[in-house]
Amino acid sequence: MKIIRFLTRTAGSADDAGKVGATDVMAYAYLAIGVLIILLPVLWTFTTSLKTERAINDFDMRFLPYAQVQETIPGYGEKDIWTFVDEDGVRHDVFKTGPTRAMTEVAELTAPQTLFTVSRRALHPKETLHVSVENYLDPILKRNGQDNFHFGTYVFNSVFVTLMATLITLVINAMAAFALSKYQFRGRMTVTLLIIATLLIPGTITLVSTFFVVWTLGIFGSLWGVIIPAAATPTGVFLLRQYMLTIPDELLEAARMDAATEWRIFWRIIIPLSMPALSVLAILSVIWRWNDFLWPLIVLIADPTKHTIQIGLSTFTGEFNSNFNYILAMTVVSLIPVTLIFVWLQRFITTGIANTGLK
């Protein structure tokens, strides 16, 4: 009987282990699918930025950067190379000597003067892997006619706007959240609800009124005209308030008994204890400010020396033609700072979101 009971318990443990193992496999599978869905557009953007301008304009949807082989043919100049297989199964490298028709006139590379016709459907482009690093180097180094793209200026303006706006956002939102979470005054909940209610108002509705405020303050056309209106955000106030509510009031009372001023309590107690939530808000603010396009376009459109990287990308878009190879390459470059900041602060995200109750 003891042996039977032991075997029964062992079998049950094995079944439980199998269930746990199957659950882990499913969890990893769902995680892999989710990561793939999120990262696939980014990976596609990166690989496409390495393709030639011709491949992008031809809507080449392949993942790897392929390019058609070109060679200089005496008497014809630079030509695209095509391949076809004859009736004997021999593969030939040829180039077109005339326009593409149902029966296209071609010549072999080894005998460029000997012309013959081949069905257009039998011709296939001869391709090779080609990484177009010039998509990155031309705008940065102002080569190949890209003199109007001032990469250094755009990056400096974007960094300045992002850093200053983020610092001001953290300070102002933390002060507002501190007042709404730790002080008892009449109308506190009304003010909190009004701040949260502004999340329901689309930003485009307030553009006109914000424009007149910036114009009245005399900061229209400057980088401060982009920074100041974005200083206070309802999302930041709500996030920090929810986190500060978890800080025990006894800490503040003990500090007041030690004759600490309210300003000292804010900087020496509230701010250090709120670092997880502040880190989350910093990440969100960096993403918002770095990727902002519409408002900087309105405020800074008249002065190209004040343009940010997002406005600078519009330099590659013309009336009849757009350099998508440069747009994709510079888009990838613009993702690097945000990614680095996210990696640096990501360890605070889980703690900050979990403690603030933000979903």
Side-chain angles (χ1 to χ4, degrees), residues 269-346:
I269 298 177
I270 296 297
I271 292 298
L273 293 178
S274 301
M275 284 305 297
L278 289 172
S279 300
V280 175
L281 181 58
I283 292 175
L284 296 177
S285 179
V286 168
I287 295 174
W288 294 335
R289 308 308 164 223
W290 185 269
N291 294 328
D292 196 10
F293 174 77
L294 181 58
W295 181 245
L297 180 66
I298 294 174
V299 177
L300 307 173
I301 186 63
D303 190 356
T305 61
K306 301 293 179 58
H307 287 179
T308 60
I309 186 69
Q310 306 303 332
I311 304 177
L313 292 176
S314 61
T315 305
F316 302 120
T317 302
E319 184 177 0
F320 303 106
N321 185 35
S322 296
N323 297 321
F324 290 107
N325 55 325
Y326 296 139
I327 293 176
L328 290 171
M330 293 299 100
T331 299
V332 172
V333 173
S334 68
L335 291 175
I336 296 176
V338 177
T339 304
L340 294 177
I341 293 176
F342 179 84
V343 171
W344 179 41
L345 297 176
Q346 59 86 26

Side-chain angles (χ1 to χ4, degrees), residues 55 182 347:
K182 296 304 179 184
R347 63 184 182 274

Side-chain angles (χ1 to χ4, degrees), residues 233-293:
T233 60
T235 303
V237 174
F238 173 71
L239 188 150
L240 293 177
R241 176 185 178 274
Q242 294 299 106
Y243 188 91
M244 290 180 184
L245 287 174
T246 64
I247 299 176
D249 294 336
E250 289 77 7
L251 291 176
L252 280 65
E253 295 298 332
R256 293 189 180 103
M257 293 179 63
D258 291 336
T261 62
E262 298 300 315
W263 190 250
R264 187 179 182 86
I265 292 174
F266 175 73
W267 284 107
R268 300 298 296 271
I269 298 177
I270 296 297
I271 292 298
L273 293 178
S274 301
M275 284 305 297
L278 289 172
S279 300
V280 175
L281 181 58
I283 292 175
L284 296 177
S285 179
V286 168
I287 295 174
W288 294 335
R289 308 308 164 223
W290 185 269
N291 294 328
D292 196 10
F293 174 77

